[in-house]
Amino acid sequence: MNRFKTAVLLTTLTLIMVAMGSAIGGRGGMYLAFIMACVMNLFSYWFSDKIVLRMYGAQEITENENPAFYGMVRRLALQGGLPMPKVYIIPSESPNAFATGRNPEHAAVAATEGILRILTPEELEGVMAHELSHVANRDILISTIAATIAGAISMLANMVQWAAIFGSRSDDDEGGGWGGLALAIIAPIAAMLIQLAVSRSREYLADESGARLCGRPRALANALRKLDQASHVLPMQEARPATAHMFIVNPLSAGALMRLFSTHPPMEERIARLEQMER
């Protein structure tokens, strides 16, 4: 169902982009904006792992440096039929974790020092299974596709707005001009909401896949409960809204984002689904 939702949401984004292309009087502007968005997001997709890991000061570890944690990741990767990812530790007391990389062959998982301290081995295993599920489900690629289309829609909206400002439409096409301007205002907001919905859908899927990978849905549910409570008490000070969607729980302080604009599903719903799997 989550895969189906993702397909529907991406299709909706594509239809919005086609409508924006019509609003500017042809497909040329649509193609130009789409190419520009593809170039920007391709760069982000190709180099995002290095950028994000450097942004949070993540340090790569070897098995000798942390045999328990490294061995846990290797065991889960083998169970999931995945190549061994690079393993990083982030020097932060705020408990959290994320996965990155453009494909399973170039993946990395990172955990903060805080999460290694507060979770039991079973709970930590559930968290890392969740992150490896993001890798297996190719969520980085899907997020990039959604960002590419949403970015193209925003560029097309800017083109329509500038055209309206400089009066490129004739007076007898005033009705169409106002319609295009309204679309230019509404479409980027709709695209952003759909992009966030894609992110939330992939989190649900990673929860389910991760619970099946580790075989302990309740352990992952308990981990999420602990992490949610800790994120309110000890938010990650260095976290940025642009990368918040990558973490297993929202690293920003409570109330920083309204639920409608959140990259993560409601925590109580995530926990309830995992407990239902356990039953």
Side-chain angles (χ1 to χ4, degrees):
M1 180 57 68
N2 281 299
R3 291 187 176 93
F4 176 74
K5 287 180 181 178
T6 301
V8 171
L9 290 168
L10 292 177
T11 300
T12 304
L13 275 176
T14 303
L15 293 175
I16 293 175
M17 189 178 71
V18 172
M20 290 298 298
S22 300
I24 63 175
R27 299 290 181 94
M30 180 181 66
Y31 291 147
L32 177 61
F34 185 70
I35 291 172
M36 292 176 64
C38 283
V39 171
M40 291 189 301
N41 283 281
L42 181 63
F43 177 85
S44 175
Y45 172 64
W46 204 263
F47 297 104
S48 63
D49 54 342
K50 299 179 179 62
I51 295 172
V52 173
L53 291 168
R54 188 177 297 114
M55 179 187 302
Y56 290 103
Q59 302 295 320
E60 185 176 1
I61 64 168
T62 64
E63 188 170 11
N64 291 333
E65 293 170 320
N66 195 326
F69 181 49
Y70 192 95
M72 176 188 294
V73 175
R74 181 173 59 189
R75 183 172 65 254
L76 289 169
L78 287 173
Q79 289 176 203
L82 295 169
M84 178 62 189
K86 293 182 178 180
V87 183
Y88 290 81
I89 291 181
I90 301 171
S92 172
E93 287 302 316
S94 181
N96 225 316
F98 68 83
T100 186
R102 62 183 182 272
N103 55 43
E105 289 73 28
H106 299 85
V109 293
T112 64
E113 293 175 345
I115 200 174
L116 298 179
R117 290 194 181 98
I118 73 168
L119 297 186
T120 66
E122 292 77 14
E123 291 167 348
L124 182 61
E125 187 176 74
V127 168
M128 300 319 297
H130 170 102
E131 296 306 331
L132 287 173
S133 293
H134 276 308
V135 175
N137 296 334
R138 296 183 180 269
D139 287 333
I140 304 299
L141 174 61
I142 291 171
S143 297
T144 302
I145 292 172
T148 298
I149 300 175
I153 290 171
S154 296
M155 291 182 184
L156 287 168
N158 288 334
M159 294 173 65
V160 173
Q161 290 170 7
W162 281 109
I165 290 173
F166 289 102
S168 61
R169 292 182 177 270
S170 60
D171 293 337
D172 59 356
D173 194 31
E174 185 176 355
W178 282 111
L181 184 58
L183 182 62
I185 295 172
I186 296 172
I189 298 174
M192 180 186 65
L193 294 177
I194 293 172
Q195 187 180 354
L196 294 174
V198 170
S199 177
R200 291 192 290 267
S201 179
R202 305 312 291 184
E203 285 299 318
Y204 279 134
L205 181 59
D207 283 344
E208 179 185 350
S209 302
R212 296 187 187 283
L213 177 58
C214 71
R216 298 187 182 93
R218 188 173 296 278
L220 178 54
N222 291 339
L224 290 177
R225 189 177 289 109
K226 282 185 180 180
L227 296 177
D228 184 50
Q229 294 170 352
S231 67
H232 290 78
V233 177
L234 191 64
M236 187 177 287
Q237 300 298 327
E238 60 271 28
R240 299 290 181 269
T243 57
H245 69 282
M246 299 180 64
F247 290 86
I248 188 169
V249 297
N250 195 336
L252 302 175
S253 59
L257 295 175
M258 294 183 297
R259 175 171 293 187
L260 181 64
F261 297 97
S262 175
T263 57
H264 293 71
M267 185 57 70
E268 58 272 16
E269 177 64 21
R270 295 174 68 181
I271 293 172
R273 292 189 181 200
L274 289 168
E275 291 178 340
Q276 180 63 33
M277 285 183 66
E278 181 77 21
R279 290 191 292 270

